[in-house]
Amino acid sequence: MHISEAEQEGLRGQLTCNFQQLDDVFADCMEEAKALLTPQGIKEYLEGASLVCMIGRGFDPVLVYLEEMPLVASKLGETTLSLVSQTVWKISRSPNGKAIPPFLQTVAEAARRLGSEEQFQRYIDLLMDMMERTSGSIHGFHTTIPSPGALDLLNQVPYLLSQLSLEGVRNWIDYGIKNYDSHPERQRDYFSLQSADSRAILQRERHGTLFIDNERKFNLYMRAIWQNKCHFVPYSTGWDELRKPIPYYNHLGMRIPDAYDNWNSVPGIDRYRAVLAHMAAHQRWTKSIVADNYSPFQRIAVEVFEDARVEYLAMQEYPGLRKLWTALHTAPGEEDCVPERESCIRHRLAMLSLALMNPDHGYKNPDILAYVERFHQLMSQGEASTKEIAQLGLSFVAKTRIQSDQLPNVYFKDTEVDYRDDNRHMWVFIEMGDEEEMFDLDEKQAQESEDKNQGLPPRHYNEWDYQTKTYRPDWVSLYETLHPPGDPADIDKLLEKHSALAKRLKQLLDLLKPQQYVRVRYQEEGGELDLDVAIRSLVDFKSGANPDPRINISHKHDSRDISVMLLLDLSESLDQIPADCEQSILQLSQEAVALLGWAIDQLGDSFAIAGFSSNTRHEVRYQHIKGYSERWGDEVKARLAAMEAGYSTRMGAAMRHASHYLGNQKADKKLLLILTDGEPADIDVQDGRLLIEDAHKAVQELDQQGIYTHCIDLDPKADDYVADIFGSQYTVIDRVERLPETLPKLFMALTK
């Protein structure tokens, strides 16, 4: 809408702003505003621009406001004009003035994504709340330190709104503030989506099938179907939008997306199975070939034929894969690409790929039909090989190549088969060039010693945050190992030292030992006649009364059906020697556990022993001392003799991992005994209540699994915290020197 010079001059007089650059853009801005806004809206528009100009942050904020706000106001309502200008003014009155330009640059995208004035207002409130809560103060009265993460958050807003609902964004921001308020650098990493926790929370708020929720299923799938034990390395598709990552595998493991949405009626979990099956087929049948003499076009063609070969062999073994892969394969139309205007090499290969797998492809291209036939003729002779199939790929490129394949405008639509990996494993480069840098080939990594791969990969456990009432997803990394052995004779000496106590315990154990069989009387069916009842029934019958038919005796096995896990706190404080005692707590614990192990073995109960300690959330150590399938013998005694104290006490993760093994035992009663000398703590936790509340949450989780938890605490100050964790399910031993006597008796009392 054209504006006359007189009208333009009048409007310019309403804008209180004297930047010289403004005169160059004012006419264009006002034409757009006149077309989209009411006269009252134009007035508020100019008042808002004047207010933005008054903040003293230069011309850029004014320009962004003038360019973006007419469209925002026309979409959401003209009240957003004053809302945005007032928000800019409030930010300028705070230490976060540098956030004004990035805030204004998010306004248009936020308006488009959110779609309503109400949602837009909530978005503004969310940002202002974040800045207020994360801005600092030197003296505690006036905020003087800018928010460390505000700029990073504003830079990520367009991406966040494309991935999450506004509620999800709020939850994500709230988590970052509560957990990193006192760590500026970590806060910046979180709000810039650089930290693992930030990405984990983002994934928690997203929809779709998450890899982490199904990792165990995928491990079983690979082992059962492909006899392949591999390490998975999930990646996110959201961080590199310019060069979208795709699956691949190398000597470090299989790289797969951390989340899959349903696609083309295929559930996300089946998309994972399709990816894993394809890579497993490559691992089984593909052999690397030298790539130096192949052109990029030739390599792409060879990869298509090799993908088809390994999928053909896999479908011969597992026919159900054909339906899954066909559903996920793109189906480009034969006439979609125009060779006169664009390069059709990818389009042609995508059609070939579908035709090689799906007999009902419907294509009529004679070259494609000819090479499909040649492919099946080759496969009918056997498995073929990567080298043989490469010759077929080279022949296809030579036969079908046209001049327009060199055009820079390459046709990409419906040419990407996203369940297939990037085939980097196929190629060996003798001379490395810039083109091959993407493969991240590192010969030093390939030659690492196998010793590093002998340990189990870490298990990740959630940790309860009592302040937010939510779990921190995959917060703790737990490493489990077999405890190194010592001298089993040391444990035999300890048992000999307490031989008198062992004799007294033996008398109690005999009372707890199960009887072989007990008689159950008054049974209609049984293996033995109950003579007294039978005679009484006969008398009743002769006298005309109804006889009691329950004249038999049955027998049942009277046994203790119980599984026990003894979890030992092996933190550094166990090396302390209590007052009025000559031994350390660790030595007393060794004696007590040795006696308890002997006692449980006498009873014949199923039991296991493990120790734990922690060195931050990234390294919780869980050491197996005795497994359920092991007998009480020299190997177990050797591990028990080598127990050492060190590090801290992150109890919740250890309890959750212990329940993993105890929960799999088939027993009527499952008991987790925890022997500790202090409250849960770790060097990376400042809030003393955090790990106490997490341990309490772990106790609740175990209770829901049918596992009874009991704590034996050796800390004289245990009354201050132990009830908060275990409720009434604990015992405090004040006289630590009596632990070897007390622990076995306590176990027998709990398992009567």
Side-chain angles (χ1 to χ4, degrees):
M1 181 178 293
H2 181 69
I3 302 177
S4 65
E5 290 186 10
E7 186 178 6
Q8 179 179 328
E9 192 173 325
L11 292 171
R12 181 67 180 84
Q14 297 179 40
L15 178 56
T16 309
C17 191
N18 297 321
F19 288 110
Q20 186 176 355
Q21 304 98 308
L22 183 58
D23 297 331
D24 299 330
V25 298
F26 184 74
D28 293 334
C29 292
M30 290 313 303
E31 285 184 6
E32 182 181 16
K34 189 101 177 193
L36 297 174
L37 303 177
T38 65
Q40 179 62 31
I42 292 176
K43 180 181 178 181
E44 294 181 2
Y45 172 60
L46 294 173
E47 289 176 353
S50 299
L51 187 61
V52 173
C53 188
M54 291 170 59
I55 67 175
R57 290 281 173 177
F59 176 65
D60 287 345
V62 182
L63 179 61
V64 175
Y65 184 90
L66 289 172
E67 289 180 338
E68 302 290 356
M69 287 312 299
L71 188 60
V72 171
S74 67
K75 183 176 181 62
L76 302 184
E78 293 180 351
T79 55
T80 56
L81 294 165
S82 61
L83 172 62
V84 171
S85 62
Q86 289 294 331
T87 302
V88 170
W89 178 260
K90 291 177 183 177
I91 297 175
S92 72
R93 301 300 94 185
S94 74
N96 298 297
K98 290 184 179 180
I100 291 174
F103 163 70
L104 287 171
Q105 289 165 2
T106 68
V107 165
E109 179 66 13
R112 187 177 72 84
R113 285 283 181 183
L114 299 175
S116 71
E117 181 184 349
E118 181 183 10
Q119 287 284 83
F120 189 73
Q121 175 70 63
R122 290 176 178 173
Y123 164 71
I124 298 288
D125 294 341
L126 185 60
L127 293 181
M128 296 301 293
D129 178 67
M130 182 270 178
M131 292 184 194
E132 181 181 349
R133 293 167 64 187
T134 55
S135 297
S137 172
I138 296 177
H139 301 292
F141 297 102
H142 303 287
T143 54
T144 54
I145 303 174
S147 166
L151 292 175
D152 298 294
L153 170 62
L154 290 167
N155 290 332
Q156 297 296 334
V157 160
Y159 177 73
L160 291 172
L161 292 177
S162 72
Q163 299 295 313
L164 306 175
S165 65
L166 189 60
E167 181 182 6
V169 174
R170 183 194 64 189
N171 294 340
W172 181 80
I173 291 175
D174 194 52
Y175 186 94
I177 295 172
K178 290 184 176 180
N179 287 283
Y180 299 107
D181 187 34
S182 59
H183 300 281
E185 291 301 322
R186 293 184 184 180
Q187 187 182 129
R188 289 202 62 186
D189 288 343
Y190 182 92
F191 286 114
S192 60
L193 288 171
Q194 296 300 312
S195 70
D197 301 333
S198 173
R199 300 179 183 187
I201 297 298
L202 181 66
Q203 294 298 347
R204 186 184 74 181
E205 299 297 333
R206 288 175 65 186
H207 298 288
T209 301
L210 299 183
F211 163 79
I212 197 66
D213 294 337
N214 298 278
E215 182 178 6
R216 291 286 166 180
K217 293 180 182 178
F218 300 146
N219 270 314
L220 292 174
Y221 173 74
M222 294 298 288
R223 293 185 185 187
I225 303 299
W226 297 101
Q227 294 78 50
N228 187 336
K229 183 179 179 181
C230 61
H231 180 53
F232 297 126
V233 185
Y235 63 82
S236 176
T237 58
W239 319 128
D240 191 349
E241 296 183 1
L242 182 62
R243 185 166 133 187
K244 182 181 177 182
I246 58 177
Y248 71 91
Y249 73 87
N250 58 16
H251 63 282
L252 296 177
M254 287 187 172
R255 266 68 170 183
I256 53 177
D258 57 358
Y260 262 140
D261 291 325
N262 297 349
W263 187 83
N264 198 22
S265 301
V266 178
I269 193 168
D270 285 339
R271 293 182 67 188
Y272 274 115
R273 293 189 177 109
V275 171
L276 296 176
H278 180 81
M279 289 195 286
H282 271 303
Q283 287 183 322
R284 180 176 294 185
W285 289 297
T286 295
K287 303 298 181 183
S288 298
I289 56 178
V290 177
D292 294 61
N293 293 328
Y294 290 88
S295 72
F297 283 170
Q298 289 174 330
R299 290 211 298 266
I300 294 173
V302 171
E303 288 173 2
V304 168
F305 276 99
E306 179 64 4
D307 285 338
R309 182 181 78 91
V310 298
E311 288 181 0
Y312 176 90
L313 295 173
M315 290 185 293
Q316 296 298 307
E317 197 165 329
Y318 304 109
L321 288 172
R322 184 183 299 276
K323 180 180 179 181
L324 176 59
W325 280 334
T326 303
L328 292 172
H329 200 293
T330 55
E334 194 161 1
E335 306 299 328
D336 288 351
C337 184
V338 182
E340 291 76 16
R341 298 200 305 264
E342 51 200 349
S343 171
C344 294
I345 181 68
R346 289 184 60 90
H347 175 259
R348 196 158 59 247
L349 289 171
M351 291 194 299
L352 173 66
S353 175
L354 180 62
L356 291 172
M357 179 173 62
N358 185 7
D360 301 324
H361 53 80
Y363 297 131
K364 299 179 181 179
N365 184 301
D367 291 328
I368 290 178
L369 296 178
Y371 276 87
V372 168
E373 184 177 355
R374 289 181 61 180
F375 171 81
H376 286 290
Q377 286 177 352
L378 179 62
M379 297 308 298
S380 65
Q381 300 172 13
E383 292 184 357
S385 68
T386 306
K387 287 186 177 180
E388 290 175 307
I389 211 71
Q391 296 304 313
L392 198 58
L394 297 177
S395 175
F396 178 81
V397 170
K399 174 71 174 176
T400 63
R401 190 169 184 177
I402 57 178
Q403 185 64 33
S404 63
D405 287 347
Q406 303 290 335
L407 293 175
N409 183 24
V410 180
Y411 183 87
F412 278 95
K413 184 180 179 182
D414 292 334
T415 63
E416 181 181 354
V417 185
D418 72 349
Y419 72 82
R420 289 179 176 173
D421 61 291
D422 66 5
N423 288 312
R424 67 181 63 193
H425 56 274
M426 278 184 61
W427 306 107
V428 175
F429 295 91
I430 298 176
E431 295 184 7
M432 297 293 289
D434 294 340
E435 186 180 284
E436 289 77 41
E437 288 180 2
M438 61 172 288
F439 290 110
D440 296 325
L441 296 177
D442 188 349
E443 295 182 2
K444 292 182 180 179
Q445 291 181 350
Q447 296 174 357
E448 286 181 340
S449 64
E450 296 183 359
D451 293 340
K452 292 185 179 180
N453 297 322
Q454 289 179 356
L456 293 174
R459 286 185 64 110
H460 302 289
Y461 286 98
N462 299 341
E463 191 167 86
W464 180 253
D465 186 339
Y466 75 100
Q467 293 179 329
T468 62
K469 305 298 182 186
T470 59
Y471 284 102
R472 295 173 171 179
D474 301 328
W475 188 257
V476 178
S477 298
L478 183 144
Y479 295 82
E480 56 180 321
T481 59
L482 194 63
H483 199 293
D487 186 357
D490 293 343
I491 301 301
D492 291 331
K493 292 177 183 177
L494 293 178
L495 293 173
E496 180 64 27
K497 172 184 174 182
H498 294 281
S499 58
L501 175 58
K503 289 180 180 179
R504 296 199 303 272
L505 291 175
K506 183 73 165 59
Q507 297 174 353
L508 297 174
L509 293 171
D510 290 338
L511 299 176
L512 289 176
K513 280 187 177 180
Q515 303 297 319
Q516 292 301 317
Y517 287 96
V518 294
R519 298 195 307 167
V520 182
R521 302 183 66 189
Y522 299 101
Q523 302 294 305
E524 291 190 13
E525 296 181 358
E528 182 180 339
L529 184 67
D530 190 336
L531 190 59
D532 292 337
V533 179
I535 293 174
R536 188 164 58 245
S537 296
L538 180 60
V539 172
D540 291 341
F541 178 74
K542 294 291 187 180
S543 62
N546 288 328
D548 189 345
R550 300 174 301 166
I551 61 173
N552 293 306
I553 296 175
S554 64
H555 298 82
K556 72 174 184 178
H557 191 70
D558 182 22
S559 63
R560 290 164 53 91
D561 192 7
I562 183 172
S563 287
V564 182
M565 167 66 78
L566 178 59
L567 188 60
L568 309 177
D569 172 6
L570 297 180
S571 60
E572 189 174 7
S573 56
L574 262 69
D575 275 336
Q576 297 177 359
I577 299 177
D580 301 325
C581 191
E582 297 179 354
Q583 294 176 285
S584 68
I585 300 176
L586 178 64
Q587 292 171 325
L588 291 169
S589 298
Q590 272 183 322
E591 295 181 6
V593 173
L595 279 167
L596 179 61
W598 171 82
I600 300 177
D601 183 62
Q602 294 292 310
L603 287 170
D605 293 339
S606 171
F607 76 105
I609 306 173
F612 75 95
S613 60
S614 64
N615 182 24
T616 77
R617 68 184 180 93
H618 301 291
E619 187 183 357
V620 176
R621 303 182 177 190
Y622 187 97
Q623 296 178 300
H624 293 277
I625 297 173
K626 181 190 179 300
Y628 285 105
S629 60
E630 290 184 286
R631 67 178 187 86
W632 176 258
D634 285 346
E635 288 188 5
V636 174
K637 293 177 183 177
R639 296 182 204 129
L640 186 60
M643 283 199 317
E644 294 181 350
Y647 302 107
S648 304
T649 314
R650 210 173 196 110
M651 188 180 292
M655 292 170 63
R656 292 182 177 96
H657 193 64
S659 71
H660 167 71
Y661 293 102
L662 181 55
N664 289 330
Q665 300 304 306
K666 295 181 179 179
D668 291 339
K669 186 175 182 179
K670 299 173 184 178
L671 172 63
L672 175 62
L673 279 178
I674 302 166
L675 179 61
T676 182
D677 71 325
E679 63 183 320
D682 210 337
I683 60 174
D684 61 343
V685 178
Q686 298 176 355
D687 185 352
R689 292 294 306 174
L690 185 65
L691 296 185
I692 291 176
E693 295 292 341
D694 176 61
H696 176 61
K697 193 67 176 179
V699 171
Q700 293 178 332
E701 294 168 13
L702 268 59
D703 185 60
Q704 293 172 357
Q705 299 173 35
I707 297 175
Y708 180 82
T709 307
H710 193 93
C711 176
I712 300 101
D713 203 318
L714 311 179
D715 183 6
K717 301 178 181 179
D719 293 331
D720 296 339
Y721 60 85
V722 69
D724 294 341
I725 301 175
F726 296 97
S728 60
Q729 300 166 198
Y730 68 91
T731 301
V732 178
I733 299 179
D734 296 321
R735 298 181 61 184
V736 181
E737 68 275 9
R738 298 190 62 183
L739 179 63
E741 178 183 354
T742 306
L743 185 59
K745 290 183 178 179
L746 176 61
F747 167 77
M748 288 185 279
L750 290 172
T751 58
K752 281 184 178 179

